Amino acid sequence: MKELKREFLGVGSHSTYPHMNGYSEHGKGLVYRRTQADSQLLLHRDLESGNETVLLELNPEDSGGGCWEVALDAPRLVWVRNNRAEMLDLENPGSPTEVYRPPAGNRLDELCSLTPDGSRLLTRHNSGDRHVAVETDLETGESRELFHHSWHANHFHYCPHDPEWVGFAHEGWTEDIFDRCWVWHRVYAPRGRTVFDQESREPGKKLCVGHEHWCYHDVSAYVPAYMHSPAGPRGLYEIFGNGRPPRLRWESDTIWHCTMDVTGRHVAVDTAGPFREEPYTEEQYRHYLEIFKRKDAAKEPMDADVAVLDLETGTSLWLAKAQWTRHPYHPHPAISPDARWVAWNDSLPEQKGLWLAELTCND
C-alpha cells in the first residue's frame, strides 16, 4: 500500500458518520458537507476529475443534516434534517423529498441507514422509554416498526452483505456495558440478540468495545476493543451474526473507529494513542492511556493517528496525525468501497476540515 496524493477539501468541511456510507458509485464520488460563515453546503465531489457539484444549500435555521447515507448501488442519499428523513437524487438533486416523519412528540435520530440498492430506509426514534427501529419502503412509502428496546438502543444500520440483518448497539459507558453488539433478523433473531461476549484473556474482565461497523463481505461486523479495556487482547475484532465465535483480526492497544472496503481486507482506523503495528509495551500502554483519560476528562483536543490496515498481509500504511474534538471533528477515517480513497476529519484550528488521500493497495 502507498499514498499517491492528498488534498484538503476546505475549512469547515467534514464527512458523515463512520458506519454511514458517504461514497457514491463504490468510490467514484464523495459526498461531504462544508459549513462556512456565508454558506452551508452539501457537496458531491467527482474523485477522478475533482469537479464538485452543490447538491443542496442549507438554511442557517435548519437543524440536523450532520450525517448522511449514500446507497452503495444507487444514486440515492438520505439524511435526517428538521426531525424528518429526506431523500435526495444524486443525479438530479433538486429539492429533497420527505420520506419519513416520526409520530408527533418523538425525536428522530440523525443516524440512518439505506439498503445497498437504496430501496429501504432504517431510522430510529424515541417513544417514551422505547427506542424504536422503523423501516420505510422508499418505493411505496410504507413504514413499519421492526423492534424496540427500553434500554438505549442505537447505531441501527443494515448489514450491507445481507440487509435482512440489522446491527445495533446497547449504548452507554463501555466500562459498564457488556452486551454492546446486537443483531436483529426477522427469522433468526426476531427479538434481537447479542453477538459478542466481550471476553478478555483474564477471567472477570470484559473488553470495552464500540463503534461497530457491519461488513460488505459477510454477515459480520468489525468492532474495536478500546484502549481502556482492563485486559486484552485489545484491537480489531470481527463478530458474526450467525453465532460464529469472534475473531481478533488485528491486535492493537489503540484502535478507536474503523471502516472497511467491500472485501473486508483493507480497514481505515483512527486511534486513541500513537499508531503501532505491534501492541504497546506495558509501560507505553499505561503512559498513553493516562494521557487519553486526562484529556478526555478535561474535554481537551487530542491527537489521533489515521492509518490503513491490510488484514491479509498484516501490513499497514500510516497516513496522518489528526486532532480530534467533539462531533463532527473526530477523524472518522472512511475508506472507499473500492479501497482507493480515504477521507478523514481534522480539527486543527488553522485547517479544521476534511482531508482526502488517494491510495494504491496493489500487492
Side-chain angles (χ1 to χ4, degrees):
M1 293 185 291
K2 66 179 180 180
E3 180 183 348
L4 301 177
K5 63 180 181 181
R6 71 174 58 189
E7 185 175 352
F8 182 62
L9 300 188
V11 172
S13 56
H14 69 84
S15 58
T16 189
Y17 197 75
H19 68 241
M20 300 168 72
N21 176 48
Y23 289 95
S24 62
E25 298 181 273
H26 284 244
K28 292 183 180 179
L30 173 69
V31 176
Y32 71 100
R33 180 169 170 170
R34 188 165 63 222
T35 300
Q36 296 176 326
D38 58 347
S39 65
Q40 297 184 58
L41 303 175
L42 189 69
L43 299 159
H44 179 269
R45 181 182 182 87
D46 184 301
L47 295 178
E48 195 65 47
S49 68
N51 294 333
E52 294 189 340
T53 303
V54 176
L55 297 173
L56 192 65
E57 185 165 1
L58 287 78
N59 297 317
E61 61 271 15
D62 286 343
S63 64
C67 307
W68 50 91
E69 169 95 323
V70 178
L72 184 67
D73 298 319
R76 179 172 281 183
L77 174 149
V78 171
W79 69 356
V80 172
R81 186 173 60 135
N82 300 326
N83 205 36
R84 60 178 182 264
E86 299 177 332
M87 183 171 65
L88 199 63
D89 184 332
L90 295 181
E91 294 180 340
N92 299 286
S95 297
T97 302
E98 181 180 317
V99 291
Y100 177 72
R101 186 186 294 256
N106 294 289
R107 191 70 189 169
L108 197 59
D109 189 17
E110 280 197 54
L111 304 184
C112 58
S113 181
L114 282 170
T115 54
D117 66 0
S119 66
R120 288 178 284 156
L121 167 69
L122 182 66
T123 54
R124 166 189 168 270
H125 70 262
N126 290 354
S127 177
D129 62 354
R130 299 166 75 247
H131 298 261
V132 184
V134 174
E135 183 176 71
T136 300
D137 185 318
L138 296 177
E139 308 308 318
T140 66
E142 295 179 358
S143 298
R144 59 193 175 96
E145 179 180 321
L146 298 184
F147 60 90
H148 69 271
H149 287 283
S150 58
W151 41 262
H152 190 179
N154 70 357
H155 285 206
F156 301 164
H157 61 289
Y158 293 109
C159 175
H161 179 75
D162 180 355
E164 297 308 305
W165 293 88
V166 170
F168 63 104
H170 183 178
E171 186 61 87
W173 291 108
T174 58
E175 295 92 337
D176 303 326
I177 300 295
F178 304 129
D179 62 341
R180 162 78 187 199
C181 302
W182 286 68
V183 293
W184 176 90
H185 188 285
R186 183 176 308 283
V187 176
Y188 302 117
R191 293 180 177 84
R193 58 177 167 79
T194 57
V195 288
F196 193 10
D197 59 16
Q198 299 176 218
E199 292 292 342
S200 76
R201 63 167 66 97
E202 296 186 28
K205 295 183 179 180
K206 294 283 191 176
L207 299 169
C208 300
V209 307
H211 297 139
E212 59 289 319
H213 187 321
W214 285 81
C215 296
Y216 304 91
H217 69 282
D218 200 347
V219 181
S220 68
Y222 290 164
V223 56
Y226 298 146
M227 192 177 193
H228 49 282
S229 297
R234 306 169 189 91
L236 187 73
Y237 283 80
E238 185 171 11
I239 59 176
F240 299 91
N242 63 3
R244 284 173 283 168
R247 298 171 58 199
L248 179 63
R249 300 301 305 270
W250 188 286
E251 188 170 358
S252 167
D253 287 314
T254 190
I255 292 175
W256 197 246
H257 299 90
C258 67
T259 61
M260 75 290 292
D261 69 353
V262 293
T263 70
R265 172 178 172 176
H266 299 102
V267 185
V269 298
D270 62 14
T271 66
F275 175 75
R276 302 281 189 273
E277 280 198 351
E278 66 283 347
Y280 289 157
T281 65
E282 184 65 17
E283 183 180 6
Q284 289 172 327
Y285 169 69
R286 294 296 171 189
H287 172 71
Y288 289 116
L289 177 61
E290 286 307 310
I291 292 174
F292 175 84
K293 291 168 73 173
R294 173 171 48 82
K295 290 194 170 186
D296 189 43
K299 301 190 183 304
E300 296 177 0
M302 287 186 273
D303 291 335
D305 284 353
V306 175
V308 179
L309 315 178
D310 185 329
L311 300 186
E312 186 172 300
T313 65
T315 59
S316 65
L317 174 66
W318 182 90
L319 285 175
K321 182 178 291 295
Q323 186 182 86
W324 63 325
T325 55
R326 63 186 180 88
H327 288 296
Y329 285 102
H330 290 181
H332 288 169
I335 193 167
S336 60
D338 60 6
R340 185 177 171 186
W341 305 90
V342 177
W344 69 92
N345 303 307
D346 196 340
S347 69
L348 285 172
E350 65 273 18
Q351 283 190 316
K352 188 174 184 178
L354 184 64
W355 286 90
L356 178 69
E358 183 178 8
L359 312 180
T360 176
C361 292
N362 295 331
D363 295 332

